[in-house]
Amino acid sequence: MGRFLTPSKVALLALAQVYSKGSIPLSGTARVLNVLISRILLDSKESDELLQQQAGDTVLDLEQALAGQASAIPGRTVWDLLLKALWAIDCADALDWFISDTPLLLGKTRDELLKERDEGLPPQPAGKIVRTSPLGLFIRRCSLEYLRLQFQDSTALWMDFIAYRMPSKGAFTRKNPHVLRSAFDSNIADLEIDTSNTLTGIMFRRMLEDVDGQQKTYSTYDCEKLMEFQVSEMQSLGGRLPDTMKTTLKQLARLGTSAPKLTHYLKFLDSWRAGDFTSAFDNLHRYFDYTMQSRDRTFYQYALLNLAILQADFGCHAEAIPAMQEAIATARENRDTICLNYCMSWLYHFGRAFPAQMQSIRETGILGNETEGLNFLKSRAKEAEMWTLLSTSLLSEAKINLQHGESLAMCFENIVKASHVNVVKNVPNCTGPALLMKSTLFSRIGQTHQAYSCGERFLLCHSKNAPLEDVLKCTIRQAALLTQMGRVSDAQANMAKIPPHILKVLKYKIYHTTHTLILRARHLLHRNALDSAGQIITQLVSQQPHPETDTSTQVSLLEIDLLIRRRELMAALDRLNQLADKAPLENNDVSLKCRLLTLKATLFAKSDKALQGFSLAMRAVELAHSARILPDLWAATLALAHILLQSYEFAAARDLVAAILPQALECLDCELVGRCYLALADSYVGLAGLAVSSEDGEGKGKENGKDKQTQKQLMGSAVDVLEKAGEQFRWIQELEGQLEALAKMGRIWMWRGDAAVANEMGEKYMSLRKEYAEADGC
Amino acid sequence: MAAVSFNESLASGPGDEGALVVELRDRLTEATIKCSERCLYQSAKWAAELLNSLPEVADHDSPMLGSDAPTSSYRMLSTSYDDPQEAALEAREAGKYLLAKSLFDTKEFDRCASVFLPPAVPAGGLAIFEKSKTRTPTSTPSKTRRSKPSETHSIPRLSQKSLFLALYARYLAGEKRKEEEGEMILGPTDGGMSSNRELSGLAKTLDEYFRARDAADPQIKRAQGWLEYLYGLILARSKQEELAQEWLLRAVRLNPYHWGAWEELSHLLSSVDDLNAQLSASILPQNVMTLMYQIHASIDLFSTTDSNTTITTLQSLLEIFPTSNFLLTQQALFYYHSKDFETSSSIFQELLVNDPYRLDGLDHYSNILYVMTDRPKLAFLAHLATSVDKFRPETCCVVGNYYSLCSHHEKAVMYFRRALTLDRSFLSAWTLMGHEYIELKNTHAAIESYRRAVDANRKDYRAWYGLGQAYEVLDMGFYALFYYQRAAGLRPYDAKMWQAVGSCYAKMNRVEQAIKALKRALAAGTYYETDSPAHSFNTSTSGKGKGSQARRNTGHKLLDPETLFHLAQLYERIPNEMEAARYMELCLAQETGQTSVAPTRTKTRKGVHRQNLTSPSDPPSASQNFEGDGDGDTEVLSSPSSAASDATEEVSPEHNTIDEQPGSNTGFGTGTTATTSRARLWLARYAFKNNDLDRAELLAEELCMDGFEVEEAKGLVREVRGRRDAAG
């Protein structure tokens, strides 16, 4: 494997020659230059695939790129001219001439120009390509690298070149039938022997070994570029090695050439993502062992950083934190700001994810408290011009603001700041996370459609550059939102649509599976298939603790929901209390606190001890209101309304529910809306009852007409509202709610004396129940 | 001819061709086996190659072949079949021998030697030890090891085979240590000074051995020739060349099919005269190997006087061994030395196709391609050689030559160094590296390289010439002259050498000698068909390629205008204006190729040549003969007016046609060049000075037309007209 030169680069030189000879019409120049430059400038990270193909460009790829481009010579395309140039190189010496002559394409240096002017020499002819242009640099580099080749390497290049241009032989001989003497080497034709001779066998042994002819030639330079690109992709996106890259690596191994050291690092990243702890560990050590000699100890902090991240990822938190602390110490010692900032940022996020593990860190006070830590990170990021870090820090601040229930304006400000940084400093891989954050924010203030559209935007426009984890999270969020809106099948489709390369990472695969199960369990709970749901929930619970506290909380909530549906209210209450005890340690999110309070109040309401839950509900309302968590506020208010209903304050309940209903509808939460409607219906019925009970309790004796009228009207609205509730529940396939609405409607119709309709309702009730049971039974 | 008579003498039976082949096959088989038994790998390879180049035995011989097979296998088992005493010894020590041989094969030379010659019982005995202790106080470790006294006749009773192996192993161990001391090529410790410290000990041992054996066996009946060869080799390495030659001759007489001995013998030759003396004194055995030796030696000596004998001998040998790579290589080298590059390269090309794995001699092929400036072929050859084995000195030389031709001199030096690291005695690499250093303007390194080459082989005229050149660069004329003279002595018919000598003399203001030397150069220049000064010396001096190309195309006898011009200038310095003017005229004449003497001269030259060939036994007289003739030539040249008497008639019609069609003259002459223009200018001035105004004007106008020296010529024309006006 050569250091830099490959046959495809020789072909590019030939193309440059064709270009500089002026045989390309003006109209085609841009295209040809595009072909050239896109293959020369590997640093300009256009896209993955271009780079992939770059390293092992075949001559046919070049043909495709140049296809049909006419040249200035009539009847000849640029491709024809290029072929002519390529096949003009008929022996090893011709290749030598060709490459040694390429600097003639270049313009003169300043010194040469000055010398010419000073000495008054007649201007010598020179090439037109500017020496410092990308193309000029490429040509200079090629000729320099060629000069550095040992003889056997230049022979190897020659043989690779023969193999490289072989596919274009047909195209060349079609246009130039009598020119070609030998497809291999004109000297062989001179000797008048054919390719079966021993001589050719000896000389082209290398090519004979490569039987399939599919082998591409790589130079070390290409390899390094390719791997650097791959590493940066894997590091920034968190994915695994794509299959194409894997085959490339295998090819390299088969070539038996010394692959760059970075291979070990790639393997480390790959096996880490694959969840293969031992291999990852092994490869990491191997990489740093091999690179220690070439780079020196200054890279120790990176070794430690990688080690810490690896250990944390595999759950060895106790090991990870000291490693990271040492990494920080080393980075400080070596004044490696970038590494230090990475370490700090990681430590901060780690602390956010696992507050319990951070006791020692908090005690040493490396980061101070959360906000201090963030401010520190922000200022450091700005100093070191690490814009990605700055952007993520700002987003983290917004997240903290949300969790602490602080001012919404602050949150928005931070998000806008982050977006500003993203745009001004061109940090494309943070645009997605900013949108994700925005989506969370919107859903917190009840703007579900906004939240949904933010998520969609992320997935549609920015998923390519965003870390895979964020893409996955966003997809799951979208699915959850869809479920909430009652578009269950869409949600399921969304979940199934996740690109397979994300799921190749073990961590994400587990995350995805867990959340699919959570969604499924919720769905089953709605459908009242309690046994199946119970099974899934048991599974989920058995996997505790989940790597994400958020997930654990969700599972716990599901568990409580199941218990409630099973009418095991005591158990549910116990579970709830447990969760409430644990929550502040793990996840001090205001929203969770609010929801737990609401849930507890609801529980009391369910067990007919509504008044016990009154203060809880009031606190929840207060909390949600101050933090502006609107969906939770409406849920808490609903709980309050239930308490009011139970305490026969129907009018107050009705007013309350009627007041929150429009906003609740905005939230697009079918269950919440359904429950609101049910509560409203209850309040109507209660009011209707009150309208007559002022005289005669529950009896249906002789009321005055006006009261009757009011009663009837109220009952009518109750039915309307119940129908709406039923509709909402139908969307999310909530069986219990639907049945409740039907039963209540049946009762009202009974009360109205329309037995037929009541009967109909009854039948509907039965059939619905049967239908669901059958569907879930299957 | 002579070869046939040798063949007859060689075939003991009737002069049947088949019997000869069978006999040769037997002898060569035996030689191969014996050489490989003694770990003389190169000689074994040589013999085996030759064996396989014999034509296949015809079918009717097959029963005979069948009867042969058991005898040859018998010989294989016991190589000393004709000497029962040796056979018994060999049988006794068979186990030890096998051990020693395998140790030798794994390159553990010291251990191999110690199998038969345990350090406690040194082979040299006490006598050496005592002598060495008194004479050389700095005793080597190997000697101290042998310091235990033992009885005088201490050589254990060994078969000659085992003794040879043991001593040879010790010799090689010494060589290895010597090389290791040198460390890096041209490094601080690599002065070419370190010597093989085993040599003196070995010489004494062998001396002792032979003295004892000669006493026991005065008729030398039991001698096999191997130990004699080793003794000769050791003597040659310790620079006792007379004695070495004697012992080597003894070795080849006893064992003619051992090529190594012949090769060693040929290294000892310092000139053709030595070879001829050897041949004439009939001290060489009369067989096919002598012929081989003869051609090898004469080609090695770049001998051109007896080229006809060489080529006929070669042809007759090729009849016996039609596909011998060795002989074909020699043939190619022969053509190379006589400047027939096309033929030579075609032979090499054939060799290449027939046996592409064979790298031997390819460095010569690369030299040929270099001289022909055939870059594609050279690249191809380098590619092939690299594919076969990139760590062979030959390969490195080929690649180095290629890079030199591409003007990548640093890389070329790197490859030559690599070649030398692989094999320090690889002569041509030293010389070529010297050339590269000259190109790199590193004169001191160049001198050292050349010196090493010369030390290794005093017959390499290119190294001598290079040394001269290097000293000329350093402005050390006397040194340069000395080396140029050495080169010219080796290549008396190479114009380039004489030119160098001449210019050296001229620089030292020894004009007379310079003139003589340049005349020699002129005479030598017409000697070769397509001579070009660049051919003999393959540094890539600028414009050299073009020059040789042009010259080859003409294929005509032309006198070198440069030399003529120089000669004229020298005459001017004496001062002898008449002669100068003559030479200037002659120089001008080369433009149109109207060297009136050329066709006739070739005839005479060829006659002389043939004359020389008819008396190869008498080289001094031949060279004298030639020299006299050469002087005659130059005399003819120096007075063209008299020479024209017989030549002008012949040439004048041609001359006329040329005058009529000036465009067509390019095929014959050199055309107008800078040198001839300068000659013309000189002549114009000369004519002007002598008041031959018309001629001066004519010449000056010609100059203006040709576009050389235009300003000067115009000035001259003006002056001429001025004087005319003044006169008229």
Side-chain angles (χ1 to χ4, degrees), chain B residues 180-200:
Chain B
E180 283 162 4
E181 273 170 27
E183 289 174 11
M184 207 176 75
I185 293 292
L186 289 185
T189 54
D190 182 36
M193 295 305 167
S194 51
S195 59
N196 185 344
R197 297 185 190 182
E198 301 285 343
L199 284 181
S200 60

Side-chain angles (χ1 to χ4, degrees), chain B residues 385-628:
Chain B
T386 314
S387 323
V388 173
D389 184 355
K390 59 184 174 190
F391 294 117
R392 273 276 293 268
E394 285 89 351
T395 306
C396 295
C397 263
V398 173
V399 176
N401 264 336
Y402 174 64
Y403 276 130
S404 176
L405 195 55
C406 302
S407 305
H408 294 310
H409 299 295
E410 286 93 349
K411 275 182 172 176
V413 165
M414 191 184 90
Y415 275 93
F416 290 134
R417 284 183 88 104
R418 186 179 286 178
L420 289 169
T421 313
L422 292 167
D423 181 2
R424 265 163 210 262
S425 57
F426 199 75
L427 175 83
S428 52
W430 282 114
T431 316
L432 293 171
M433 192 158 82
H435 295 339
E436 294 314 310
Y437 276 126
I438 291 272
E439 291 291 332
L440 290 171
K441 309 267 184 289
N442 187 349
T443 324
H444 298 280
I447 288 175
E448 198 175 340
S449 308
Y450 285 134
R451 188 70 232 177
R452 295 293 292 273
V454 168
D455 282 346
N457 182 354
R458 272 163 301 167
K459 284 166 289 183
D460 190 3
Y461 73 95
R462 289 172 304 182
W464 290 115
Y465 184 88
L467 271 171
Q469 223 183 11
Y471 278 111
E472 209 178 348
V473 170
L474 293 174
D475 269 335
M476 293 167 76
F478 273 100
Y479 271 79
L481 184 63
F482 171 75
Y483 291 121
Y484 282 143
Q485 278 171 338
R486 291 297 294 262
L490 282 165
R491 301 273 294 178
Y493 308 114
D494 196 331
K496 177 91 177 171
M497 306 295 139
W498 290 111
Q499 274 171 0
V501 172
S503 68
C504 233
Y505 272 128
K507 262 189 195 165
M508 293 158 69
N509 281 324
R510 288 159 70 174
V511 182
E512 292 292 333
Q513 277 138 316
I515 289 174
K516 263 191 188 166
L518 284 183
K519 281 185 181 170
R520 273 301 289 262
L522 273 185
T526 51
Y527 184 72
Y528 293 116
E529 281 268 315
T530 53
D531 177 51
S532 116
H535 285 167
S536 55
F537 186 70
N538 66 358
T539 50
S540 59
T541 42
S542 57
K544 174 208 76 181
K546 277 180 235 156
S548 62
Q549 214 79 32
R551 211 63 54 77
R552 205 180 303 137
N553 290 341
T554 63
H556 235 255
K557 306 296 164 301
L558 282 174
L559 297 171
D560 185 22
E562 300 272 345
T563 318
L564 288 169
F565 186 72
H566 280 302
L567 258 175
Q569 276 181 323
L570 287 175
Y571 272 116
E572 197 188 359
R573 268 167 72 182
I574 296 179
N576 183 350
E577 292 224 321
M578 284 291 286
E579 282 297 304
R582 267 191 202 142
Y583 276 99
M584 285 296 185
E585 295 281 0
L586 206 53
C587 178
L588 210 56
Q590 304 307 317
E591 270 188 13
T592 51
Q594 47 175 298
T595 322
S596 44
V597 285
T600 48
R601 173 139 316 106
T602 343
K603 273 176 207 160
T604 56
R605 181 77 49 191
K606 273 188 179 159
V608 170
H609 193 175
R610 216 160 286 143
Q611 218 179 329
N612 283 345
L613 297 175
T614 49
S615 55
S617 55
D618 194 8
S621 73
S623 66
Q624 259 176 15
N625 184 8
F626 180 76
E627 205 155 290

Side-chain angles (χ1 to χ4, degrees), chain B residues 226-246:
Chain B
W226 304 105
L227 284 163
E228 284 81 355
Y229 157 71
L230 186 61
Y231 195 30
L233 180 70
I234 286 162
L235 287 171
R237 290 286 177 276
S238 10
K239 309 275 177 214
Q240 302 184 36
E241 304 198 343
E242 293 289 316
L243 215 54
Q245 191 170 339
E246 199 178 293

